[in-house]
Amino acid sequence: MNACLHCGADSGSAQFCCSGCQTVHAALRDGGLDDFYRVREVDPRSPRKAATGDAAALADPTVLERFATQVPGTPFHEIDLHLDGAHCAACVWLVEQLPHRLPGVASARLDLSRGRLRLRWDDAVVRLEAVGDWLARFGYAPRPAAQVGEGSTAERRLLLRMGVSWALAGNVMLLAAALYAGLGVESDPGLASGARWLSLALTLASVLYGGASFFTRAWVAGRRLGMDLPIAVGIAVGFGHSAWATVTGHGEVWFDSIAVLIAALLTARWLQMRGQRLAREATDRLVSLLPQTARRVTDGALATVATSALVAGDIVRVFAGEVVPADGAVLSGRSAVHRGILTGESVPEPVEPGSAIHAGVTN
């Protein structure tokens, strides 16, 4: 028994286990990319078979308008592509050879954990479908992905505000621990007064920096009663009372409670904002799984059209391994479809003429 020269699977008496592995091996050899197998030794998981689809989705002229962005001041466009089939260090090395292999490609960065390729290229020099064809030669199936950032500017600012607020709150709590332990104006007036004034300064910084968003939103809301108004009032009253007690030297101070309240509320808002972003990204990833093109049958001939151009009554052909582009019913042919994206079921379900079928399932 022999091991496949490409994926290492049992190939019987042949050099390759399938034609897909043979095709990819030949493409790597012809392209001078034999180092793929050397790099793969770091992460020796077997590569997948060649992609079953083609780069037709990237040839759709609407892809550039919908998914790509122009890099300001340069002739380059930038796009995110979902890349099926990439799963090891060798795949990253191979995909990131794009700028050295295709003129017009400025950069290619593959995020392996998310299966997302960020591509920057000059559309006047090399077409996007040419990039897709190059990737497909090695078994990778690229699909346009919605432009989703790693986090909005507002989220990053809120994270910074939250971190500073927790740092201030931690120091205020250390000073409060001494006051709670028995340090008082009666026992040690100088030290107790110094601790209160230092707590006042730290909490004031927390109120002005961390709590500014609550006061701003409460002011903007005006007469409309929202969540920010009682929060702003509570912070102002608590800080005002504690500041007066510090100045006069009489009464209790709650600087630690105010500082921790601000930091905790900012943390809750950051978690909410982050959760919303992750939900948007998950939705965008699901939408991006739908093919951008379909093979429409017109008078017995196949024509590749954008899925957005399909109308009720159109007939489309879906080959094995491809994703169904639209909801409909099977007219001819028997097969099995994988509905995991819709139902989570891992077992393919048989379909026959008359069976209902939904966009997103795999034939």
Side-chain angles (χ1 to χ4, degrees):
M1 295 213 177
N2 296 326
C4 176
L5 294 181
H6 178 62
C7 71
D10 181 15
S11 61
S13 59
Q15 290 183 310
F16 301 97
C17 64
C18 66
S19 59
C21 283
Q22 184 176 5
T23 300
V24 175
H25 183 273
L28 289 169
R29 184 190 57 205
D30 295 343
L33 298 169
D34 296 311
D35 282 346
F36 171 85
Y37 298 104
R38 177 183 58 80
V39 177
R40 196 180 65 187
E41 293 178 1
V42 179
D43 187 358
R45 289 173 290 177
S46 297
R48 298 181 184 179
K49 312 300 182 189
T52 56
D54 52 27
L58 302 183
D60 184 358
T62 63
V63 168
L64 208 62
E65 303 172 5
R66 295 173 56 193
F67 298 100
T69 57
Q70 179 79 41
V71 180
T74 72
F76 297 109
H77 286 81
E78 194 169 79
I79 191 172
D80 281 357
L81 300 174
H82 281 301
L83 200 63
D84 290 339
H87 67 286
C88 67
C91 296
V92 177
W93 176 85
L94 179 58
V95 171
E96 293 188 351
Q97 291 295 307
L98 260 171
H100 309 293
R101 302 292 171 173
L102 284 183
V105 178
S107 67
R109 292 292 179 264
L110 176 61
D111 184 342
L112 185 60
S113 62
R114 300 168 62 201
R116 178 167 291 196
L117 170 65
R118 176 155 293 181
L119 181 73
R120 181 175 291 188
W121 84 105
D122 186 350
D123 196 60
V125 178
V126 59
R127 306 295 294 178
L128 186 57
E129 57 265 32
V131 178
D133 287 335
W134 191 90
L135 292 169
R137 290 176 60 201
F138 304 107
Y140 304 117
R143 298 190 311 274
Q147 291 284 348
V148 180
E150 294 301 322
S152 64
T153 303
E155 184 182 344
R156 291 192 292 270
R157 286 201 302 264
L158 183 57
L159 180 62
L160 175 62
R161 196 182 297 267
M162 180 190 75
V164 172
S165 296
W166 273 118
L168 293 171
N171 285 280
V172 174
M173 289 173 67
L174 289 174
L175 295 171
L179 297 175
Y180 291 147
L183 179 64
V185 178
E186 297 79 9
S187 59
D188 194 332
L191 191 58
S193 178
R196 286 192 171 198
W197 279 101
L198 184 55
S199 297
L200 171 62
L202 293 173
T203 307
L204 179 61
S206 179
V207 170
L208 293 179
Y209 182 66
S213 59
F214 302 113
F215 291 103
T216 301
R217 292 186 180 185
W219 177 262
V220 170
R223 296 181 180 179
R224 291 176 296 176
L225 183 61
M227 183 61 71
D228 292 291
L229 182 58
I231 291 175
V233 171
I235 292 174
V237 171
F239 179 78
H241 180 278
S242 299
W244 177 255
T246 300
V247 172
T248 60
H250 300 288
E252 298 295 330
V253 295
W254 302 303
F255 291 125
D256 57 323
S257 299
I258 298 300
V260 171
L261 175 64
I262 292 173
L265 290 172
L266 289 175
T267 302
R269 294 206 166 171
W270 177 77
L271 290 173
Q272 179 189 26
M273 186 177 293
R274 180 175 180 271
Q276 291 172 339
R277 174 176 60 82
L278 292 176
R280 287 195 301 269
E281 289 186 357
T283 302
D284 290 332
R285 283 194 292 271
L286 285 174
V287 172
S288 67
L289 293 176
L290 296 177
Q292 302 302 312
T293 59
R295 293 183 177 89
R296 184 166 60 189
V297 180
T298 305
D299 297 329
L302 287 180
T304 301
V305 299
T307 53
S308 57
L310 294 177
V311 297
D314 280 348
I315 300 175
V316 298
R317 177 168 293 175
V318 182
F319 293 111
E322 293 185 341
V323 178
V324 176
D327 294 346
V330 178
L331 292 181
S332 63
R334 296 177 182 271
S335 184
V337 296
H338 186 274
R339 303 181 188 270
I341 188 176
L342 302 179
T343 65
E345 176 58 56
S346 60
V347 179
E349 301 176 15
V351 292
E352 58 186 10
S355 300
I357 198 167
H358 301 89
V361 303
T362 303
N363 180 22

